Amino acid sequence: MNSKLIDHSVPLIRAVVIHPDLGECASRPAGERLEEAAGLARALDLDVRAEEIVRLRRTTPATLFGAGKVEELAALIRAAEAEAAVIDFDLTPVQQRNLEKEWDCKVIDRTGLILEIFGRRARTKEGRLQVELARLDYEKSRLVRTWTHLERQRGGTGSTGGPGETQIELDRRLIADRIVKLKGELEEVRRTRGLHRKQRKKAPFPAVALVGYTNAGKSTIFNRLTGSEVLAKDLLFATLDTTQRTIRLPQGRPAIIADTVGFISDLPHELVESFRATLEEVGEADLILHVRDIASADSAAQAKDVEEVLKQIEQPEGKPRRILEVWNKTDLLDPEVREEIEGQAARSGNASVAVSAWTGEGIERLRQAITDLIDDDPETELVLQPSQGEALAWLYAHGRVTARDTDAEGRMRLTVRLDPQTIGRFERQFQAG
């Protein structure tokens, strides 16, 4: 086993992080997966006392690890005085229970760890509903008699178990009832989101969605583009709840941009399903900005993980999926590597843009690339009289004025990009001569 002990003095819950290395079955190097798992544990405010890679030729149904490895890890847990063991793997309920008995400490698998982080970070009512649904879906097969407190929420006839109903059956029924209730509330959220999207389409402003691996810098880029102050920290899953703002692009075009939850490798399917209402914002977007931490050695593997999640998001029929890769954190690259990366982005046309959200370098190039990719409305020639200042302001607010000339009599000749619906609104509201 390859072990690294870490000295911490903060009085938090002590933990060890263990990554089972399945060799050729793994999607990326074991060291990088271990580092990510330790980062997730620290995001949960655990005091990581030891990090361990355990190489496995095969898994054991009862405990995942073989008997010898279980004993070795028990010794490591005792030496670290750990109160919890984080396993970077999706354990079965049987494996989790058996390991807790063998090690005499709390055992948390990868899905449970991510769900716990989401539970702490969700701030909006929608976010909390989504996380609770995902947690219930995960825990319904791991009942440990923790759900009987829900019994107090049930009133009237049928609030207790019937004749012969065991405690675990009652717990399972309580969870099932709660899942049904949550799904109903989330369906209402989904319906409300659909109404909001219809209202936005009447504007009509194009929609841009930020996606990316957790900690790639999405929220920092969002703040740069919008002037907002969304929480942006060097921390896995620093933000969970979707935030939307209106931005102004070059030539004055408005657009709606959404900062979404960060993705991660092997994102629990419970979360993908529960966050379906939120992820619909991505599917409906006119343009997806895929933010990548280009300074990470794991950047290519992270990008594949994001692409896998995007494949699970439904796309409206007939709507093309347009993606612009944003290569972030160029300020962390060596000068030679940075020059090469920026050259690759420049040669890619509008497939990628190299930026540093931290310093702001490349943000204006990003704005222009967004404009180029969503600016597919037809050009319209208009002539406005000098007295039509209100109409001119309306055109700048709702379209893109690409050319403007004033003749000797003060009439303004404009070339404007407007979608057909907006052209109709303009003609109804103003008399352009």
Side-chain angles (χ1 to χ4, degrees):
M1 293 189 295
N2 179 22
S3 175
K4 178 173 63 174
L5 290 176
I6 302 171
D7 182 26
H8 286 284
S9 57
V10 181
L12 303 173
I13 295 176
R14 299 180 298 275
V16 298
V17 178
I18 302 165
H19 172 69
D21 180 15
L22 299 175
E24 68 276 3
C25 297
S27 60
R28 62 180 64 176
E32 293 172 1
R33 288 296 298 263
L34 177 64
E35 183 180 351
E36 178 179 275
L40 288 169
R42 294 189 183 96
L44 196 56
D45 296 328
L46 296 180
D47 177 10
V48 179
R49 292 296 186 91
E51 300 173 17
E52 185 83 18
I53 295 174
V54 180
R55 289 178 172 81
L56 297 176
R57 283 181 291 183
R58 61 180 179 273
T59 60
T60 302
T63 54
L64 180 64
F65 311 102
K69 292 295 184 186
V70 170
E71 291 181 9
E72 288 182 45
L73 291 169
L76 175 66
I77 291 168
R78 287 193 298 270
E81 298 181 338
E83 303 160 273
V86 175
I87 311 298
D88 187 32
F89 195 83
D90 285 336
L91 299 174
T92 66
V94 170
Q95 289 170 340
Q96 186 174 5
R97 285 194 292 268
N98 288 340
L99 288 175
E100 287 183 341
K101 290 178 182 177
E102 292 288 341
W103 294 342
D104 193 27
C105 72
K106 176 67 177 174
V107 173
I108 309 169
D109 71 353
R110 183 179 178 84
T111 296
L113 184 66
I114 294 173
L115 287 172
E116 187 66 30
I117 294 170
F118 272 52
R120 289 196 184 186
R121 301 281 167 75
R123 292 290 178 266
T124 65
K125 178 183 177 182
E126 177 189 353
R128 290 193 294 270
L129 285 173
Q130 291 173 132
V131 171
E132 185 181 354
L133 177 59
R135 183 188 294 280
L136 288 173
D137 191 42
Y138 167 73
E139 291 189 347
K140 64 187 177 183
S141 62
R142 300 165 191 264
L143 291 175
V144 288
R145 306 187 79 169
T146 58
W147 292 101
T148 51
H149 65 283
L150 295 178
E151 194 172 6
R152 291 194 299 271
Q153 298 176 13
R154 299 165 59 86
T157 304
S159 63
T160 59
E165 187 174 36
T166 66
Q167 180 66 60
I168 197 166
E169 288 172 341
L170 176 59
D171 286 348
R172 189 171 286 121
R173 180 161 57 84
L174 290 170
I175 289 179
D177 291 348
R178 181 65 177 158
I179 286 175
V180 170
K181 184 174 185 296
L182 287 172
K183 285 184 175 179
E185 293 183 41
L186 282 172
E187 192 58 38
E188 181 64 21
V189 169
R190 189 183 186 194
R191 188 187 68 82
T192 303
R193 279 188 177 276
L195 293 175
H196 289 170
R197 276 195 295 271
K198 282 184 179 180
Q199 287 298 114
R200 290 201 298 268
K201 286 177 181 177
K202 291 179 182 178
F205 296 161
V208 180
L210 281 163
V211 303
Y213 208 81
T214 182
N215 212 31
K218 293 185 295 79
S219 295
T220 307
I221 287 176
F222 181 85
N223 290 341
R224 283 284 183 182
L225 290 172
T226 64
S228 301
E229 295 184 357
V230 171
L231 176 65
K233 296 178 66 177
D234 184 18
L235 185 70
L236 297 178
F237 296 119
T239 53
L240 290 183
D241 299 308
T242 298
T243 305
Q244 295 180 335
R245 296 286 187 276
T246 301
I247 61 172
R248 289 283 174 180
L249 298 171
Q251 299 174 338
R253 180 167 200 189
I256 295 172
I257 187 166
D259 182 20
T260 63
V261 63
F263 298 163
I264 197 167
S265 63
D266 303 325
L267 188 69
H269 73 275
E270 294 94 347
L271 279 174
V272 174
E273 176 61 24
S274 296
F275 276 74
R276 182 167 55 113
T278 301
L279 294 176
E280 282 179 354
E281 297 291 338
V282 178
E284 293 280 350
D286 298 288
L287 176 64
I288 296 172
L289 301 185
H290 176 187
V291 181
R292 292 177 54 183
D293 177 0
I294 205 64
S296 170
D298 212 18
S299 183
Q302 291 176 356
K304 288 183 180 179
D305 289 328
V306 172
E307 290 162 7
E308 286 301 314
V309 177
L310 288 176
K311 289 178 184 177
Q312 301 177 53
I313 301 173
E314 293 182 6
Q315 191 80 4
E317 187 175 352
K319 188 181 185 72
R321 175 165 284 172
R322 289 184 287 186
I323 300 177
L324 170 63
E325 286 199 354
V326 183
W327 297 349
N328 190 28
K329 303 190 182 182
T330 56
D331 55 296
L332 300 180
L333 298 171
D334 292 333
E336 300 81 7
V337 178
R338 179 174 181 171
E339 184 177 352
E340 180 182 350
I341 290 294
E342 290 177 342
Q344 289 179 14
R347 291 189 296 272
S348 73
N350 276 331
S352 57
V353 177
V355 306
S356 168
W358 182 255
T359 66
E361 186 173 351
I363 295 298
E364 289 309 311
R365 288 196 302 271
L366 174 58
R367 288 180 183 274
Q368 187 59 55
I370 295 171
T371 301
D372 294 341
L373 287 168
I374 63 177
D375 203 1
D376 54 1
D377 294 330
E379 285 191 335
T380 301
E381 303 290 334
L382 296 172
V383 178
L384 298 183
Q385 300 298 327
S387 60
Q388 291 186 288
E390 184 181 352
L392 179 63
W394 193 95
L395 289 172
Y396 272 104
H398 295 83
R400 281 86 60 226
V401 178
T402 59
R404 175 180 171 180
D405 188 32
T406 305
D407 63 19
E409 298 178 3
R411 289 178 300 188
M412 293 170 282
R413 300 183 182 277
L414 308 172
T415 302
V416 186
R417 283 190 178 273
L418 296 168
D419 67 273
Q421 183 181 358
T422 307
I423 291 173
R425 289 176 60 203
F426 177 81
E427 290 176 344
R428 288 191 298 273
Q429 190 166 346
F430 301 97
Q431 295 296 321

